[in-house]
């Protein structure tokens, strides 16, 4: 592994650590864009007469579009890249307090397709967005992160569940509430008061008086790490799909600003993308409409554009190889994967696939393809949603991983950098 790749992986590991929730991921991306000279636009402002330049716009603090406006877009189109900011996790319920046998626990909702067994016996923390009232009765939203481990979900001992290794099921209502502390008898604790204490300690100037509401998730405090006797693997939470967000951002930042390029990272993919900040919402279309002077020119622009939708793929697992089609089992560290599905669960077609293959060849990066076994259901991602909404040529790609939706997923230590090299070339 050469120095640039080493630095790239170190930065990816930092990004994963700073991004326990979509809100934090957007905040990290925003900072990088600011540092690179991107100017922030607000949806509520007028964009009339927007000059050529590099801009970004956020929605709901959990989705972002960054773009470079250069030549006439109707004549050239946009090179676009899409990814999603959310990952399956456990979210804290609005009235979460549960007190049993001296233990203070939090009620949680399962967000997306969580691989639940992996959440037991981990050192968990809590992060997200809190909206509070100040002493002047103003409403303020702020990101918070406890950072240290403050919760865990203990397994039941094997002696009390003899069938656990052959027949383990997880009840989402009763088995998951994490324990966060022990309370003396007859004492109670309001979770919002606990949050208020944290905000007051961390941001005394925020003048917080009362926590009204929050969107908080649990996350594993174990940092991302390079693993393996020869450092072949990258293990972390939220590789799906923060890895693609980071790769896309780096490729955009290192690309030529004289091209029309665009990065869109949306929320709520893991629950179907139907939200104002999800890929089925109007965010991307609305931004593109505002960057084009007429409906006809937007149609011309889209016909000349391309979208690469990047989301991780399933690498063939050596212990479960029969879960893959024998000819389409992507291998970690053998390059990005083109995802194909005849039933349009992926938006790839032969033309977009050929363009991507050619980019990989020019970047001297290996490339693989994935098709699900014909007797199994196929997953999906934002590619088909964007393709159907905009009518833009689209391809679904991603790096191969193990244990998708586990609290700790595994990718190849080479693949993120491979994908970066291809996307940098695409944007240039
Ligand atoms: Zn994903």
């Amino acid at each position: 592994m050469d120095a640039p790749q080493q630095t790239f992986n170190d930065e990816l590991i930092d990004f994963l650590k700073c991004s326990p929730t979509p809100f934090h991921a957007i905040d990290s991306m925003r900072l990088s864009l600011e540092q690179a000279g991107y100017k922030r636009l607000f949806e509520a402002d007028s964009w009339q007469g927007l000059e050529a330049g590099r801009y970004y716009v956020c929605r709901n603090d959990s989705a972002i579009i960054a773009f470079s406006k250069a030549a006439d877009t109707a004549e050239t189109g946009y090179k676009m890249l899409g990814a999603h900011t959310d990952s399956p996790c456990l979210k804290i319920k609005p009235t979460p307090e549960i007190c049993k046998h001296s233990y203070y626990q939090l009620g949680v909702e399962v967000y997306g397709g969580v691989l639940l067994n992996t959440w037991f016996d981990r050192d968990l923390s809590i992060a997200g967005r809190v909206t509070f009232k100040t002493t002047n009765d103003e409403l303020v939203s702020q990101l918070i992160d406890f950072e240290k481990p403050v919760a865990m979900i203990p397994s039941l001992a094997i002696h009390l569940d003899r069938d656990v290794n052959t027949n383990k099921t997880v009840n989402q209502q009763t088995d998951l509430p994490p324990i966060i502390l022990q309370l003396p008898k007859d004492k109670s604790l309001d979770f919002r008061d606990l949050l208020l204490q944290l905000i007051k300690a961390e941001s005394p100037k925020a003048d917080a008086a009362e926590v009204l509401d929050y969107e908080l998730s649990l996350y594993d405090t174990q940092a991302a790490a390079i693993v393996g006797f020869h450092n072949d693997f990258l293990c972390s939470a939220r590789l799906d799909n923060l890895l693609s967000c980071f790769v896309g951002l780096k490729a955009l930042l290192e690309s030529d600003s004289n091209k029309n390029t665009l990065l869109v990272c949306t929320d709520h993919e893991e629950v179907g993308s139907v939200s104002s900040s999800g890929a089925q919402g109007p965010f991307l279309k609305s931004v593109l409409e505002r960057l084009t002077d007429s409906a006809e020119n937007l149609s011309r622009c889209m016909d000349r554009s391309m979208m690469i939708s990047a989301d991780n793929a399933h690498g063939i697992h050596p212990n479960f190889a029969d879960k893959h089609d024998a000819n389409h089992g992507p291998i970690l560290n053998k390059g990005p994967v083109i995802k194909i599905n005849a039933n349009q669960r992926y938006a790839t077609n032969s033309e977009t696939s050929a363009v991507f293959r050619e980019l990989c060849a020019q970047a001297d990066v290996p490339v693989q393809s994935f098709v699900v076994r014909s007797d199994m259901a196929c997953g999906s991602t934002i590619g088909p949603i964007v393709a159907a909404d905009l009518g833009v040529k689209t391809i679904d790609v991603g790096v191969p991983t193990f244990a998708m939706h586990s609290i700790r997923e595994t990718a190849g230590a080479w693949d993120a950098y491979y994908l970066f090299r291809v996307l940098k070339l695409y944007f240039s």
Side-chain angles (χ1 to χ4, degrees):
M1 201 169 284
D2 58 12
Q5 182 172 359
Q6 195 85 53
T7 309
F8 179 91
N9 277 349
D10 288 346
E11 287 178 14
L12 169 56
I13 286 169
D14 278 349
F15 177 73
L16 290 162
K17 185 167 187 287
C18 295
S19 309
T21 73
F23 302 122
H24 291 82
I26 292 299
D27 209 39
S28 311
M29 295 174 84
R30 208 173 51 73
L31 283 174
S32 301
L33 289 162
E34 292 272 351
Q35 278 166 9
Y38 278 72
K39 287 194 211 100
R40 183 166 189 173
L41 297 174
F42 293 89
E43 289 191 273
D45 293 346
S46 168
W47 296 5
Q48 293 290 329
L50 196 67
E51 288 172 5
R54 300 179 129 194
Y55 302 93
Y56 74 94
V57 51
C58 301
R59 185 179 277 202
N60 184 44
D61 308 324
S62 66
I64 196 165
I65 294 174
F67 60 92
S68 188
K69 181 175 153 59
D72 179 358
T73 55
E75 298 298 332
T76 59
Y78 272 100
K79 298 259 182 72
M80 298 190 282
L81 180 81
H84 67 87
T85 57
D86 61 318
S87 306
C89 64
L90 303 181
K91 296 202 175 192
I92 298 171
K93 289 181 176 177
T95 305
E97 298 86 357
I98 302 169
C99 293
K100 276 189 202 165
H101 308 283
S102 89
Y103 301 105
Y104 184 83
Q105 296 172 266
L106 298 174
V108 289
E109 238 185 321
V110 176
Y111 174 82
V114 178
L115 199 50
L116 290 169
N117 282 315
T118 63
W119 281 71
F120 290 82
D121 309 320
R122 312 295 301 203
D123 305 340
L124 304 173
S125 191
I126 295 170
R129 182 173 69 178
V130 177
T131 304
F132 57 84
K133 198 158 72 170
T134 67
T135 50
N136 294 328
D137 282 344
E138 279 173 311
L139 290 190
V140 175
S141 291
Q142 187 174 310
L143 305 193
I144 66 160
D145 183 356
F146 281 85
E147 289 180 7
K148 67 170 189 166
V150 292
M152 39 72 191
I153 311 169
S155 294
L156 183 61
I158 193 166
H159 317 79
L160 306 179
D161 186 5
R162 293 286 180 188
D163 297 333
V164 64
N165 287 331
T166 48
N167 185 22
K168 170 78 175 166
T169 56
V170 179
N171 182 300
Q172 300 196 359
Q173 173 67 19
T174 57
D175 296 356
L176 294 175
I179 298 173
I180 69 164
L181 52 87
Q182 271 187 300
L183 270 183
K185 224 179 176 181
D186 305 325
K187 278 266 187 300
S188 63
L189 177 61
D190 186 318
F191 182 60
R192 281 171 174 73
D193 288 342
L194 220 157
L195 294 176
L196 187 63
Q197 284 169 27
L198 178 79
I199 294 167
K200 282 184 163 170
E202 290 212 331
S203 331
K205 287 188 184 145
D207 198 22
E210 184 188 358
V211 169
L212 299 179
D213 267 302
Y214 52 78
E215 289 166 74
L216 295 173
S217 328
L218 292 154
Y219 72 91
D220 189 0
T221 53
Q222 186 181 358
I226 298 292
V227 174
F229 209 84
H230 290 153
N231 300 323
D232 287 330
F233 308 106
L234 167 66
C235 298
S236 172
R238 304 178 300 282
L239 290 177
D240 175 13
N241 189 22
L242 292 182
L243 183 150
S244 306
C245 291
F246 177 80
V247 171
L249 179 70
K250 285 291 282 181
L252 185 78
L253 292 179
E254 295 199 13
S255 66
D256 179 356
S257 62
N258 295 319
K259 297 271 162 47
N260 291 321
T261 51
L262 183 148
L263 170 71
V264 54
C265 297
T266 45
D267 196 2
H268 300 135
E269 188 273 345
E270 300 294 355
V271 293
S273 294
V274 184
S275 75
S276 69
S277 49
Q280 287 212 51
F283 188 32
L284 177 57
K285 194 170 197 176
S286 153
V287 167
L288 288 168
E289 278 170 356
R290 297 176 72 170
L291 297 177
T292 321
D293 54 12
S294 67
E296 188 191 49
N297 280 343
L298 180 58
S299 296
R300 293 176 64 208
C301 172
M302 284 301 99
D303 194 56
R304 291 187 162 115
S305 298
M306 178 163 161
M307 166 66 78
I308 296 181
S309 153
D311 198 355
N312 297 344
H314 300 299
I316 190 166
H317 190 311
N319 298 353
F320 304 94
D322 62 351
K323 294 290 179 187
H324 276 75
D325 179 297
N327 287 354
H328 303 91
I331 291 174
L332 271 58
N333 289 321
K334 302 283 185 199
V337 178
I338 298 171
K339 300 193 254 181
I340 298 149
N341 181 255
N343 297 300
Q344 300 303 304
R345 302 285 289 165
Y346 299 128
T348 309
N349 67 29
S350 58
E351 289 184 350
T352 54
S353 168
V355 169
F356 191 80
R357 265 181 211 288
E358 192 53 28
L359 282 169
C360 290
Q362 284 173 23
D364 197 20
V365 162
V367 62
Q368 320 180 67
S369 51
F370 172 77
V371 178
V372 76
R373 278 180 65 106
S374 300
D375 54 4
M376 280 173 70
C378 185
S380 191
T381 179
I382 62 168
I385 297 169
V386 174
D389 188 37
L390 299 176
V392 67
K393 289 185 279 290
T394 302
I395 181 169
D396 279 297
V397 302
V399 304
T401 59
F402 294 144
M404 192 181 284
H405 294 190
S406 165
I407 200 164
R408 201 158 175 88
E409 303 170 328
T410 298
W414 290 78
D415 287 324
Y417 193 67
Y418 278 149
L419 182 61
F420 161 73
R421 280 166 46 190
V422 177
L423 296 179
K424 190 176 157 186
L425 190 66
Y426 165 68
F427 277 144
S428 302

